[in-house]
Amino acid sequence: MSKNNRYIGSLPKIGIRPTIDGRRNGVRESLEEQTMNLAKAVAIFLEETLRHPNGSKVECVISDTTIGGVAEAAATSEKFKREGVGVSLTVTPSWCYGSETIDMDSFIPKAIWGFNGTERPGAVYLAAALAGHNQKGLPAFGIYGKEVQDAGNNNIPEDVKEKILRFVRSGLAVANMKEKSYLSMGSVSMGIAGSIVDTSFFQEYLGMRCEFVDMSEFIRRINENIYDTVEFERALNWVRANCKEGKDYNPFEKQKSKEQKDKEWDFVVKMTLIARDLMVGNPILNHLGFGEEALGHNAIAGGFQGQRQWTDHFPNGDFMEAILCSSFDWNGIRQPYLLATENDSLNAVSMLFGHLLTGAAQVFSDVRTYWSPDAVKRITGYELDGLAKHGIIHLINSGSSALDGTGEQSVNGKPAMKPWWEINEQEAQMCIDNTSWGAAINEYFRGGGFSSCFKTKGGMPITLSRVNLVKGLGPVMQIAEGYTVALPEKVHQELNERTNPSWPTTWFAPILTGEGNFKDVYSVMSNWGANHGAFTYGHIGADLITLASMLRIPVSMHNVDVDKIYRPGAWSAFGMDAEGADYRACATYGPLYK
């Protein structure tokens, strides 16, 4: 199980800045040990708790000295640049000189933990330093514990831990995206807005570049054998042993022969190898004499257009997308790739956010149909109950639905989609065994291919999200936390057969608040801003909100508990309505990298 960094560039580190009262001859000296120990305690906590999406443990860098003024702040900044720090966390138990000790790097997410103690006013420094950040236009997150602690107590309170983790997870996501690529394989699919790749959005908000490759590159590489032929044979044998064909829903007279289907399996496996190589490169190609192709595009996410110029003639990309997005393949358990169907770059971004925050695979779906309790009862005679009693949303798509979405992994005996490094071989095999591969429906895909088909287990907490672009406004994010639902098999079949039954299905029940976009399930569906959404395991809406605020992307729709919402301290100065303040703050500060 490899935890190597597949992308060019070192993994970002967490910088810990212990600030201190700079007055000598008694004051500073009395605080040195306590302040540095506080920084060390935070570093140990983070290194023991967090991992990067590739499975590597995070690494913290502590400044060489405590920071009592501008000279030591500058020295720390220089060290952080050398060490590759991508997230900055200041800690202190005492008063310090506000604007003289703050982190002035405008591109690195930053937070300050001002120790809540009565002996020394760390919380007073927190307020002063945040005021300095706000006045200078450098938004920072404030961390202030609810309970008073005694001097010298370096235990981190639970509420402080929660904020530190939320900040650091999101900050590392920002840092991990920076200077990576989005790889567009093809162009615009069927007029889908998300596949009109907006290079300015990626550059200014995410710090990423966009790379573009025509789909004809797949044909060139297939025809000229520009792939690892040894791996191809291993992959094809794995597919034959593990990927069982499902029901062919095409009319009998239009069904293809076994010989034709075998050729299509051969083709789509090659497509999978080629897409991966295009994204991250492959040193084997260099040994085969293809030095340029061996380099890849350093793509942390990508999309494949497919429809229609490709799929009207060649096998579709469904197998390629589903397998690459999963946490396992013929090489074993490994970090998922993030490849959006129909080149929906904005849904790819939603998948990217979810993966960077969790380390788990993501599921790309059409937000297809709202089923009211009355409609379900009319069609099937069944009365929805439990989590589904207010109605459900049908999430289904032929493409980038990771096989992890079967829910065949488990946490505490319940269905889950785990960080890839926590998945065991049995769980991976169960995901594979509970997926079938039906022949592509010719009406959609004239060139053939195979689409994954599974039914997601019920009871999983998931978060559905989507980034949309709005003219004159810019990017906005939508978030809906909820649960997967298990329907009786007969009910599932009756509803599923009314659409395309050869694709993966997830029945989704969002958590309702009784007002606004979450008044009822219909309102969630009606206010969703695009035809696609991506879901991740767990209720991570609060982390997504924190991440969005770092990038200056306002959140237009969410059902996250207000007590969990965590944004930079400056946001409270933009008005008393939290979501309106979010819009105003994002507009004022503008894209992170502009």
Side-chain angles (χ1 to χ4, degrees), residues 183-208:
L183 178 60
S184 174
M185 299 178 233
S187 184
V188 180
S189 173
M190 302 185 297
I192 293 171
S195 64
I196 305 173
V197 181
D198 189 314
T199 59
S200 295
F201 162 67
F202 278 90
Q203 177 183 329
E204 295 176 3
Y205 284 89
L206 310 182
M208 292 172 58

PDB file of all heavy atoms in Angstrom, residues 183-208:
ATOM      1  N   LEU A 183      -6.908  18.631 -15.310  1.00  0.00           N
ATOM      2  CA  LEU A 183      -6.684  18.147 -16.675  1.00  0.00           C
ATOM      3  C   LEU A 183      -8.020  17.920 -17.371  1.00  0.00           C
ATOM      4  O   LEU A 183      -8.806  17.053 -16.978  1.00  0.00           O
ATOM      5  CB  LEU A 183      -5.879  16.849 -16.670  1.00  0.00           C
ATOM      6  CG  LEU A 183      -5.628  16.234 -18.051  1.00  0.00           C
ATOM      7  CD1 LEU A 183      -4.850  17.194 -18.954  1.00  0.00           C
ATOM      8  CD2 LEU A 183      -4.898  14.907 -17.941  1.00  0.00           C
ATOM      9  N   SER A 184      -8.274  18.710 -18.402  1.00  0.00           N
ATOM     10  CA  SER A 184      -9.474  18.586 -19.212  1.00  0.00           C
ATOM     11  C   SER A 184      -9.169  17.671 -20.386  1.00  0.00           C
ATOM     12  O   SER A 184      -8.400  18.025 -21.282  1.00  0.00           O
ATOM     13  CB  SER A 184      -9.908  19.971 -19.710  1.00  0.00           C
ATOM     14  OG  SER A 184     -10.982  19.877 -20.615  1.00  0.00           O
ATOM     15  N   MET A 185      -9.765  16.473 -20.384  1.00  0.00           N
ATOM     16  CA  MET A 185      -9.583  15.521 -21.478  1.00  0.00           C
ATOM     17  C   MET A 185     -10.792  15.658 -22.392  1.00  0.00           C
ATOM     18  O   MET A 185     -11.850  15.090 -22.146  1.00  0.00           O
ATOM     19  CB  MET A 185      -9.451  14.105 -20.925  1.00  0.00           C
ATOM     20  CG  MET A 185      -8.252  13.927 -20.011  1.00  0.00           C
ATOM     21  SD  MET A 185      -8.132  12.263 -19.317  1.00  0.00           S
ATOM     22  CE  MET A 185      -8.003  12.634 -17.569  1.00  0.00           C
ATOM     23  N   GLY A 186     -10.633  16.452 -23.413  1.00  0.00           N
ATOM     24  CA  GLY A 186     -11.749  16.799 -24.277  1.00  0.00           C
ATOM     25  C   GLY A 186     -12.222  18.196 -23.956  1.00  0.00           C
ATOM     26  O   GLY A 186     -11.531  19.000 -23.339  1.00  0.00           O
ATOM     27  N   SER A 187     -13.447  18.481 -24.346  1.00  0.00           N
ATOM     28  CA  SER A 187     -13.962  19.843 -24.203  1.00  0.00           C
ATOM     29  C   SER A 187     -15.324  19.809 -23.515  1.00  0.00           C
ATOM     30  O   SER A 187     -15.490  19.130 -22.516  1.00  0.00           O
ATOM     31  CB  SER A 187     -14.054  20.505 -25.584  1.00  0.00           C
ATOM     32  OG  SER A 187     -14.464  21.846 -25.487  1.00  0.00           O
ATOM     33  N   VAL A 188     -16.302  20.523 -24.093  1.00  0.00           N
ATOM     34  CA  VAL A 188     -17.602  20.681 -23.455  1.00  0.00           C
ATOM     35  C   VAL A 188     -18.522  19.515 -23.820  1.00  0.00           C
ATOM     36  O   VAL A 188     -18.705  19.204 -24.995  1.00  0.00           O
ATOM     37  CB  VAL A 188     -18.257  22.014 -23.865  1.00  0.00           C
ATOM     38  CG1 VAL A 188     -19.612  22.165 -23.197  1.00  0.00           C
ATOM     39  CG2 VAL A 188     -17.337  23.180 -23.510  1.00  0.00           C
ATOM     40  N   SER A 189     -19.124  18.898 -22.820  1.00  0.00           N
ATOM     41  CA  SER A 189     -19.990  17.749 -23.020  1.00  0.00           C
ATOM     42  C   SER A 189     -21.445  18.193 -23.030  1.00  0.00           C
ATOM     43  O   SER A 189     -21.977  18.641 -22.003  1.00  0.00           O
ATOM     44  CB  SER A 189     -19.764  16.725 -21.897  1.00  0.00           C
ATOM     45  OG  SER A 189     -20.695  15.675 -21.987  1.00  0.00           O
ATOM     46  N   MET A 190     -22.066  18.109 -24.163  1.00  0.00           N
ATOM     47  CA  MET A 190     -23.510  18.313 -24.293  1.00  0.00           C
ATOM     48  C   MET A 190     -23.985  19.633 -23.686  1.00  0.00           C
ATOM     49  O   MET A 190     -25.069  19.719 -23.112  1.00  0.00           O
ATOM     50  CB  MET A 190     -24.277  17.137 -23.660  1.00  0.00           C
ATOM     51  CG  MET A 190     -23.928  15.785 -24.270  1.00  0.00           C
ATOM     52  SD  MET A 190     -24.950  14.436 -23.618  1.00  0.00           S
ATOM     53  CE  MET A 190     -24.474  14.448 -21.897  1.00  0.00           C
ATOM     54  N   GLY A 191     -23.179  20.653 -23.763  1.00  0.00           N
ATOM     55  CA  GLY A 191     -23.578  21.964 -23.274  1.00  0.00           C
ATOM     56  C   GLY A 191     -23.609  22.099 -21.760  1.00  0.00           C
ATOM     57  O   GLY A 191     -24.145  23.079 -21.229  1.00  0.00           O
ATOM     58  N   ILE A 192     -23.027  21.153 -21.035  1.00  0.00           N
ATOM     59  CA  ILE A 192     -23.029  21.204 -19.577  1.00  0.00           C
ATOM     60  C   ILE A 192     -22.115  22.325 -19.110  1.00  0.00           C
ATOM     61  O   ILE A 192     -20.929  22.373 -19.454  1.00  0.00           O
ATOM     62  CB  ILE A 192     -22.598  19.847 -18.992  1.00  0.00           C
ATOM     63  CG1 ILE A 192     -23.668  18.795 -19.309  1.00  0.00           C
ATOM     64  CG2 ILE A 192     -22.342  19.937 -17.497  1.00  0.00           C
ATOM     65  CD1 ILE A 192     -23.271  17.383 -18.969  1.00  0.00           C
ATOM     66  N   ALA A 193     -22.666  23.247 -18.311  1.00  0.00           N
ATOM     67  CA  ALA A 193     -21.930  24.450 -17.929  1.00  0.00           C
ATOM     68  C   ALA A 193     -20.634  24.131 -17.195  1.00  0.00           C
ATOM     69  O   ALA A 193     -19.615  24.791 -17.388  1.00  0.00           O
ATOM     70  CB  ALA A 193     -22.816  25.348 -17.068  1.00  0.00           C
ATOM     71  N   GLY A 194     -20.676  23.125 -16.326  1.00  0.00           N
ATOM     72  CA  GLY A 194     -19.481  22.784 -15.564  1.00  0.00           C
ATOM     73  C   GLY A 194     -18.331  22.316 -16.420  1.00  0.00           C
ATOM     74  O   GLY A 194     -17.169  22.359 -15.995  1.00  0.00           O
ATOM     75  N   SER A 195     -18.627  21.841 -17.642  1.00  0.00           N
ATOM     76  CA  SER A 195     -17.539  21.394 -18.508  1.00  0.00           C
ATOM     77  C   SER A 195     -17.020  22.512 -19.413  1.00  0.00           C
ATOM     78  O   SER A 195     -16.140  22.289 -20.235  1.00  0.00           O
ATOM     79  CB  SER A 195     -17.976  20.188 -19.355  1.00  0.00           C
ATOM     80  OG  SER A 195     -19.019  20.509 -20.237  1.00  0.00           O
ATOM     81  N   ILE A 196     -17.569  23.726 -19.246  1.00  0.00           N
ATOM     82  CA  ILE A 196     -16.949  24.913 -19.852  1.00  0.00           C
ATOM     83  C   ILE A 196     -15.891  25.363 -18.852  1.00  0.00           C
ATOM     84  O   ILE A 196     -16.154  26.145 -17.945  1.00  0.00           O
ATOM     85  CB  ILE A 196     -17.986  26.019 -20.104  1.00  0.00           C
ATOM     86  CG1 ILE A 196     -19.150  25.486 -20.948  1.00  0.00           C
ATOM     87  CG2 ILE A 196     -17.340  27.225 -20.774  1.00  0.00           C
ATOM     88  CD1 ILE A 196     -20.312  26.465 -21.095  1.00  0.00           C
ATOM     89  N   VAL A 197     -14.701  24.829 -18.973  1.00  0.00           N
ATOM     90  CA  VAL A 197     -13.674  24.988 -17.937  1.00  0.00           C
ATOM     91  C   VAL A 197     -13.249  26.450 -17.843  1.00  0.00           C
ATOM     92  O   VAL A 197     -12.772  27.041 -18.817  1.00  0.00           O
ATOM     93  CB  VAL A 197     -12.460  24.082 -18.229  1.00  0.00           C
ATOM     94  CG1 VAL A 197     -11.408  24.249 -17.133  1.00  0.00           C
ATOM     95  CG2 VAL A 197     -12.903  22.622 -18.329  1.00  0.00           C
ATOM     96  N   ASP A 198     -13.424  27.034 -16.659  1.00  0.00           N
ATOM     97  CA  ASP A 198     -13.089  28.437 -16.413  1.00  0.00           C
ATOM     98  C   ASP A 198     -11.697  28.509 -15.802  1.00  0.00           C
ATOM     99  O   ASP A 198     -11.513  28.285 -14.597  1.00  0.00           O
ATOM    100  CB  ASP A 198     -14.129  29.052 -15.475  1.00  0.00           C
ATOM    101  CG  ASP A 198     -13.980  30.565 -15.344  1.00  0.00           C
ATOM    102  OD1 ASP A 198     -12.849  31.033 -15.164  1.00  0.00           O
ATOM    103  OD2 ASP A 198     -15.001  31.271 -15.407  1.00  0.00           O
ATOM    104  N   THR A 199     -10.722  28.818 -16.626  1.00  0.00           N
ATOM    105  CA  THR A 199      -9.331  28.811 -16.163  1.00  0.00           C
ATOM    106  C   THR A 199      -9.071  29.887 -15.114  1.00  0.00           C
ATOM    107  O   THR A 199      -8.247  29.697 -14.217  1.00  0.00           O
ATOM    108  CB  THR A 199      -8.366  28.996 -17.343  1.00  0.00           C
ATOM    109  OG1 THR A 199      -8.656  30.233 -18.006  1.00  0.00           O
ATOM    110  CG2 THR A 199      -8.499  27.856 -18.340  1.00  0.00           C
ATOM    111  N   SER A 200      -9.768  31.012 -15.208  1.00  0.00           N
ATOM    112  CA  SER A 200      -9.577  32.083 -14.224  1.00  0.00           C
ATOM    113  C   SER A 200     -10.031  31.640 -12.837  1.00  0.00           C
ATOM    114  O   SER A 200      -9.389  31.969 -11.836  1.00  0.00           O
ATOM    115  CB  SER A 200     -10.346  33.342 -14.647  1.00  0.00           C
ATOM    116  OG  SER A 200      -9.811  33.869 -15.837  1.00  0.00           O
ATOM    117  N   PHE A 201     -11.123  30.896 -12.774  1.00  0.00           N
ATOM    118  CA  PHE A 201     -11.586  30.388 -11.483  1.00  0.00           C
ATOM    119  C   PHE A 201     -10.525  29.503 -10.854  1.00  0.00           C
ATOM    120  O   PHE A 201     -10.181  29.654  -9.665  1.00  0.00           O
ATOM    121  CB  PHE A 201     -12.895  29.615 -11.656  1.00  0.00           C
ATOM    122  CG  PHE A 201     -13.218  28.713 -10.495  1.00  0.00           C
ATOM    123  CD1 PHE A 201     -13.528  29.245  -9.260  1.00  0.00           C
ATOM    124  CD2 PHE A 201     -13.199  27.334 -10.650  1.00  0.00           C
ATOM    125  CE1 PHE A 201     -13.814  28.416  -8.180  1.00  0.00           C
ATOM    126  CE2 PHE A 201     -13.487  26.496  -9.580  1.00  0.00           C
ATOM    127  CZ  PHE A 201     -13.793  27.033  -8.342  1.00  0.00           C
ATOM    128  N   PHE A 202     -10.002  28.551 -11.603  1.00  0.00           N
ATOM    129  CA  PHE A 202      -8.990  27.645 -11.053  1.00  0.00           C
ATOM    130  C   PHE A 202      -7.740  28.409 -10.611  1.00  0.00           C
ATOM    131  O   PHE A 202      -7.173  28.134  -9.553  1.00  0.00           O
ATOM    132  CB  PHE A 202      -8.621  26.573 -12.084  1.00  0.00           C
ATOM    133  CG  PHE A 202      -9.585  25.428 -12.137  1.00  0.00           C
ATOM    134  CD1 PHE A 202     -10.672  25.460 -12.998  1.00  0.00           C
ATOM    135  CD2 PHE A 202      -9.428  24.319 -11.332  1.00  0.00           C
ATOM    136  CE1 PHE A 202     -11.575  24.405 -13.041  1.00  0.00           C
ATOM    137  CE2 PHE A 202     -10.322  23.260 -11.367  1.00  0.00           C
ATOM    138  CZ  PHE A 202     -11.399  23.300 -12.228  1.00  0.00           C
ATOM    139  N   GLN A 203      -7.323  29.354 -11.414  1.00  0.00           N
ATOM    140  CA  GLN A 203      -6.095  30.099 -11.109  1.00  0.00           C
ATOM    141  C   GLN A 203      -6.271  31.012  -9.902  1.00  0.00           C
ATOM    142  O   GLN A 203      -5.443  31.025  -8.990  1.00  0.00           O
ATOM    143  CB  GLN A 203      -5.678  30.925 -12.324  1.00  0.00           C
ATOM    144  CG  GLN A 203      -4.443  31.799 -12.097  1.00  0.00           C
ATOM    145  CD  GLN A 203      -4.136  32.647 -13.314  1.00  0.00           C
ATOM    146  OE1 GLN A 203      -4.392  32.250 -14.436  1.00  0.00           O
ATOM    147  NE2 GLN A 203      -3.578  33.825 -13.088  1.00  0.00           N
ATOM    148  N   GLU A 204      -7.355  31.796  -9.883  1.00  0.00           N
ATOM    149  CA  GLU A 204      -7.493  32.850  -8.886  1.00  0.00           C
ATOM    150  C   GLU A 204      -8.044  32.346  -7.557  1.00  0.00           C
ATOM    151  O   GLU A 204      -7.687  32.872  -6.497  1.00  0.00           O
ATOM    152  CB  GLU A 204      -8.385  33.958  -9.438  1.00  0.00           C
ATOM    153  CG  GLU A 204      -7.767  34.671 -10.640  1.00  0.00           C
ATOM    154  CD  GLU A 204      -8.688  35.720 -11.248  1.00  0.00           C
ATOM    155  OE1 GLU A 204      -9.788  35.933 -10.693  1.00  0.00           O
ATOM    156  OE2 GLU A 204      -8.312  36.319 -12.270  1.00  0.00           O
ATOM    157  N   TYR A 205      -8.899  31.348  -7.587  1.00  0.00           N
ATOM    158  CA  TYR A 205      -9.500  30.864  -6.350  1.00  0.00           C
ATOM    159  C   TYR A 205      -8.776  29.659  -5.767  1.00  0.00           C
ATOM    160  O   TYR A 205      -8.729  29.499  -4.544  1.00  0.00           O
ATOM    161  CB  TYR A 205     -10.969  30.507  -6.574  1.00  0.00           C
ATOM    162  CG  TYR A 205     -11.877  31.710  -6.656  1.00  0.00           C
ATOM    163  CD1 TYR A 205     -12.124  32.337  -7.871  1.00  0.00           C
ATOM    164  CD2 TYR A 205     -12.484  32.237  -5.519  1.00  0.00           C
ATOM    165  CE1 TYR A 205     -12.951  33.455  -7.951  1.00  0.00           C
ATOM    166  CE2 TYR A 205     -13.318  33.344  -5.587  1.00  0.00           C
ATOM    167  CZ  TYR A 205     -13.536  33.955  -6.808  1.00  0.00           C
ATOM    168  OH  TYR A 205     -14.357  35.059  -6.879  1.00  0.00           O
ATOM    169  N   LEU A 206      -8.241  28.792  -6.603  1.00  0.00           N
ATOM    170  CA  LEU A 206      -7.641  27.546  -6.128  1.00  0.00           C
ATOM    171  C   LEU A 206      -6.126  27.520  -6.270  1.00  0.00           C
ATOM    172  O   LEU A 206      -5.482  26.605  -5.747  1.00  0.00           O
ATOM    173  CB  LEU A 206      -8.242  26.348  -6.879  1.00  0.00           C
ATOM    174  CG  LEU A 206      -9.766  26.278  -6.936  1.00  0.00           C
ATOM    175  CD1 LEU A 206     -10.204  25.017  -7.673  1.00  0.00           C
ATOM    176  CD2 LEU A 206     -10.381  26.328  -5.549  1.00  0.00           C
ATOM    177  N   GLY A 207      -5.557  28.459  -6.996  1.00  0.00           N
ATOM    178  CA  GLY A 207      -4.115  28.453  -7.214  1.00  0.00           C
ATOM    179  C   GLY A 207      -3.662  27.354  -8.146  1.00  0.00           C
ATOM    180  O   GLY A 207      -2.506  26.929  -8.112  1.00  0.00           O
ATOM    181  N   MET A 208      -4.573  26.890  -9.020  1.00  0.00           N
ATOM    182  CA  MET A 208      -4.283  25.781  -9.918  1.00  0.00           C
ATOM    183  C   MET A 208      -4.221  26.258 -11.368  1.00  0.00           C
ATOM    184  O   MET A 208      -4.784  27.280 -11.733  1.00  0.00           O
ATOM    185  CB  MET A 208      -5.367  24.705  -9.790  1.00  0.00           C
ATOM    186  CG  MET A 208      -5.383  23.983  -8.463  1.00  0.00           C
ATOM    187  SD  MET A 208      -6.825  22.881  -8.256  1.00  0.00           S
ATOM    188  CE  MET A 208      -6.624  21.786  -9.674  1.00  0.00           C
TER     189      MET A 208
END
